[in-house]
Amino acid sequence: MSTKKYTLVINPGATSTKSAIYEGETEVFTENLSHPIEEIQKFKEVADQFDYRKGAILDMLKRHNIGTDEIAIVMGRGGLTRPCESGAYRVNDLMKKECHDGIQGKHACNLGALISDSIASEIGLECAYIADPGIVDERPEYAKISGHPIFDLDASHEGVIWHCLNQKMTAKLYARELGKHYEDLNLIIAHMGGGVSVGVHQHGRCVEVNRALCGLGAFSPTRCGSINASKLIEVACSGKYTEAQLKKMVTAEGGFVAYLGTNDAYEVEKKALAGDKKSELLVDAFTYQVSLEISRLAAVVNGKVDAILLTGGIAYSKPWMQMITDRVGWIAPVKVYKGENEMLALAICGKEILDGVAPKEYK
């Protein structure tokens, strides 16, 4: 009789790897495996962290006395590959190559498919799987026009980069609470964490969302968001910065880091509540910009919005969520989902595959 009953979920982030064991949709345990910045900085490329992070996950399984013969499926966070449709995918050689090469960016999420597949292979499973990677692109063609053809994204290689996994799962949880299906609703969802993505979901498809990794949308703890193109050109042509420095400025050293020297939103909140004027100003600016993103997306569905959902780590801030709600509550009811639902999302996809739902092939 088979003892395989568990789903191993692997979700690599910048300085940690969230790992969990689920039995169906029930969480057995979750660990946030911390990777100190001094350790991460020893590796030249993200792909070089493979053995280090994989070892931490295997050590976790040993600590919890989880035998490899008990794992029925391994689910990993998807990486920055080419744009694809929403859904679950079998990890294959093409996906692994694109994750290793980081064709849309060198982000830790690229390790999700690589580590998951390696562990699955070692324990005798056919393969691993990912679901709803951050490069899912469901926008209509007219939404992809930039204003100048040289700046249009190449649809075969580039697209939006956003928090697809959490946004889709949050939408489905909300629909489940109503006794409805995700496909029945029009929802605007704001994910607020290290990056910010705000998407409008129309009957099961995210038809507009900002490119959250490198520009566009509200600023975040580490990212600039939409910035003045003329000023960017001026700075880029000044000779003071390399291309790499400018990209880092936009993706890792913008937002709260640039203005306040921290990427910790909770620290910013505490200082603002204590009366620090600069922190107060940045809180006002952040909640204002997120509200603007939400408001503009209402036009995409002709104002027919069933609900606005606020999620991500920053959603733990009750004052900030209230500030956003006060600005956008006229559009539709607002509901807050604190934190992320990415681990549960991957576990549910794993259960569906085990129950016979066929995954997609990455091509």
Side-chain angles (χ1 to χ4, degrees), residues 162-232:
W162 58 296
H163 304 91
C164 178
L165 188 60
N166 186 43
Q167 285 205 27
K168 292 268 185 180
M169 189 70 251
T170 302
K172 292 171 185 176
L173 289 175
Y174 177 75
R176 182 186 291 185
E177 291 170 11
L178 297 181
K180 296 184 177 182
H181 298 288
Y182 169 46
E183 294 76 12
D184 297 332
L185 302 169
N186 287 345
L187 303 169
I188 297 177
I189 306 175
H191 173 108
M192 295 162 284
V196 172
S197 64
V198 185
V200 56
H201 299 245
Q202 183 177 36
H203 301 306
R205 295 177 66 83
C206 182
V207 293
E208 183 58 87
V209 65
N210 62 297
R211 186 177 171 91
L213 181 60
C214 43
L216 301 182
F219 72 80
S220 76
T222 62
R223 299 168 193 171
C224 287
S226 297
I227 50 180
N228 185 309
S230 295
K231 188 64 178 180
L232 178 60

Side-chain angles (χ1 to χ4, degrees), residues 25 34 42 47 49 61 63 71 76 117 120 126 133 147-148 162 170 201 206 218 230 259 274 295 335 338 346 352:
E25 295 185 20
S34 179
K42 293 178 182 178
Q49 300 170 23
L61 295 176
R63 285 197 306 275
I71 298 173
D117 188 71
E126 181 184 353
H148 193 293
W162 58 296
T170 302
H201 299 245
C206 182
S230 295
Y259 287 99
S295 299
K335 183 162 186 181
K338 301 174 183 177
L346 290 170
E352 289 175 348

Side-chain angles (χ1 to χ4, degrees), residues 340-353:
E340 301 172 351
N341 296 299
E342 293 180 340
M343 306 301 278
L344 175 61
L346 290 170
I348 289 175
C349 286
K351 180 179 183 299
E352 289 175 348
I353 292 170

Side-chain angles (χ1 to χ4, degrees), residues 254-277:
F256 291 146
V257 171
Y259 287 99
L260 300 172
T262 180
N263 65 357
D264 188 338
Y266 179 60
E267 181 182 337
V268 175
E269 180 183 20
K270 287 195 299 181
K271 287 184 176 180
L273 291 173
D276 180 75
K277 296 302 181 184

Side-chain angles (χ1 to χ4, degrees), residues 97-357:
K97 182 180 187 308
E98 291 183 355
C99 285
H100 180 275
D101 295 344
I103 63 170
Q104 285 213 72
K106 308 282 187 176
H107 190 279
C109 66
N110 292 332
L111 292 167
L114 299 174
I115 295 174
S116 299
D117 188 71
S118 178
I119 291 177
S121 177
E122 283 187 13
I123 65 178
L125 300 179
E126 181 184 353
C127 64
Y129 303 86
I130 66 161
D132 284 338
I135 42 71
V136 166
D137 196 343
E138 300 175 315
R139 299 171 300 156
E141 288 304 309
Y142 58 77
K144 301 176 184 179
I145 300 298
S146 68
H148 193 293
I150 197 172
F151 298 117
D152 288 345
L153 297 176
D154 180 350
S156 64
H157 294 92
E158 298 175 296
V160 288
I161 298 176
W162 58 296
H163 304 91
C164 178
L165 188 60
N166 186 43
Q167 285 205 27
K168 292 268 185 180
M169 189 70 251
T170 302
K172 292 171 185 176
L173 289 175
Y174 177 75
R176 182 186 291 185
E177 291 170 11
L178 297 181
K180 296 184 177 182
H181 298 288
Y182 169 46
E183 294 76 12
D184 297 332
L185 302 169
N186 287 345
L187 303 169
I188 297 177
I189 306 175
H191 173 108
M192 295 162 284
V196 172
S197 64
V198 185
V200 56
H201 299 245
Q202 183 177 36
H203 301 306
R205 295 177 66 83
C206 182
V207 293
E208 183 58 87
V209 65
N210 62 297
R211 186 177 171 91
L213 181 60
C214 43
L216 301 182
F219 72 80
S220 76
T222 62
R223 299 168 193 171
C224 287
S226 297
I227 50 180
N228 185 309
S230 295
K231 188 64 178 180
L232 178 60
I233 293 168
E234 180 185 323
V235 171
C237 295
S238 69
K240 295 180 181 179
Y241 306 96
T242 65
E243 180 180 346
Q245 287 173 322
L246 286 170
K247 285 185 176 179
K248 190 174 183 181
M249 186 185 299
V250 169
T251 62
E253 296 177 348
F256 291 146
V257 171
Y259 287 99
L260 300 172
T262 180
N263 65 357
D264 188 338
Y266 179 60
E267 181 182 337
V268 175
E269 180 183 20
K270 287 195 299 181
K271 287 184 176 180
L273 291 173
D276 180 75
K277 296 302 181 184
K278 191 171 184 180
S279 296
E280 287 179 357
L281 176 62
L282 267 293
V283 170
D284 288 344
F286 174 79
T287 56
Y288 172 74
Q289 289 194 13
V290 172
S291 299
L292 280 179
E293 284 295 295
I294 292 171
S295 299
R296 79 178 184 88
L297 289 181
V300 176
V301 290
N302 301 320
K304 297 176 182 177
V305 181
D306 293 300
I308 297 166
L309 311 181
L310 308 178
T311 183
I314 293 177
Y316 281 102
S317 172
K318 189 174 181 179
W320 295 16
M321 297 307 99
Q322 189 60 53
M323 292 169 75
I324 294 171
T325 300
D326 289 344
R327 287 189 182 275
V328 303
W330 60 273
I331 300 171
V334 179
K335 183 162 186 181
V336 177
Y337 289 82
K338 301 174 183 177
E340 301 172 351
N341 296 299
E342 293 180 340
M343 306 301 278
L344 175 61
L346 290 170
I348 289 175
C349 286
K351 180 179 183 299
E352 289 175 348
I353 292 170
L354 291 174
D355 288 344
V357 177

